[in-house]
Amino acid sequence: MAPGVAIILAAGTARRMGGVSKTELDLHGRTLVAHVVDGARAAGFDPLVVAPPGLELPSDTPRCLEDPPLGGPAAGFLAGVRHSPAADTYALLAGDAPYAPRALPALLAALRPGTSTSVAYDVARADPQGGKASFLPSVVLGESLRTRAVALASAGAHGLSLRGLLGELSCIDVTVDDREAVISDVNTW
């Protein structure tokens, strides 16, 4: 059984890229999103891509989409949670960050019972090391996330940032190997 579901966000508009689909860019003969999907699987997570119907995905990769579309990252993440509501943990990954799944084992270990940090935290994210904290990549406890989603139900998540969704949960910043590669994504040409 996989430790959880890796929700891979790939439904953005790529405004800074002039509308070019970032997740479909080629890296070593494969799309960026294919690297993320395969990396999530290699880390033991079941991948789920939040993406429009036209985006090509590796075979047997499930997809979903927020309703209405283009609701932003928090709305996309919660669409993935609704698609797989019983997961113990959710990994949150960007479809244009091909090396981010490398961080998943360390992030998951910070939240698993039996570790020194497992009791006090709901979210493990890559340590920003003096930079701005980000929730990409991160691993979130399923029960904590579902509770937060219920609290937001009346206002909805359309237009909400990941910080707005996850920022009130208890977070731990985890040192990850190859940090610069892990947090790198594609935003501009």
Side-chain angles (χ1 to χ4, degrees):
M1 182 175 149
V5 175
I7 299 174
I8 301 164
L9 301 176
T13 61
R15 284 188 310 260
R16 291 177 293 223
M17 295 281 293
V20 172
S21 176
K22 299 187 296 184
T23 59
E24 293 181 282
L25 293 175
D26 182 272
L27 176 66
H28 307 299
R30 297 173 45 236
T31 64
L32 294 181
V33 73
H35 284 277
V36 179
V37 166
D38 291 346
R41 283 188 175 128
F45 282 81
D46 293 327
L48 170 64
V49 179
V50 179
L55 181 68
E56 185 178 327
L57 299 176
S59 63
D60 299 326
T61 303
R63 82 171 72 225
C64 68
L65 189 62
E66 71 270 27
D67 186 20
L70 301 176
F77 190 30
L78 290 178
V81 171
R82 283 189 296 279
H83 188 273
S84 298
D88 290 336
T89 55
Y90 295 96
L92 179 54
L93 298 165
D96 66 339
Y99 305 115
R102 294 178 184 174
L104 295 181
L107 298 176
L108 182 63
L111 296 180
R112 284 290 184 208
T115 65
S116 62
T117 60
S118 62
V119 176
Y121 298 99
D122 301 308
V123 180
R125 61 187 179 194
D127 188 344
Q129 297 182 352
K132 184 178 177 183
S134 172
F135 290 96
L136 291 168
S138 61
V139 175
V140 185
L141 291 177
E143 187 59 35
S144 299
L145 182 58
R146 287 185 289 274
T147 300
R148 181 74 177 118
V150 167
L152 291 171
S154 63
H158 193 84
L160 187 65
S161 68
L162 291 175
R163 186 172 311 283
L165 174 63
L166 302 174
E168 291 184 19
L169 298 177
S170 59
C171 299
I172 183 171
D173 293 331
V174 178
T175 301
V176 296
D177 292 336
D178 203 11
R179 181 187 168 277
E180 288 305 313
V182 162
I183 64 169
S184 295
D185 62 356
V186 176
N187 282 312
T188 59
W189 287 107

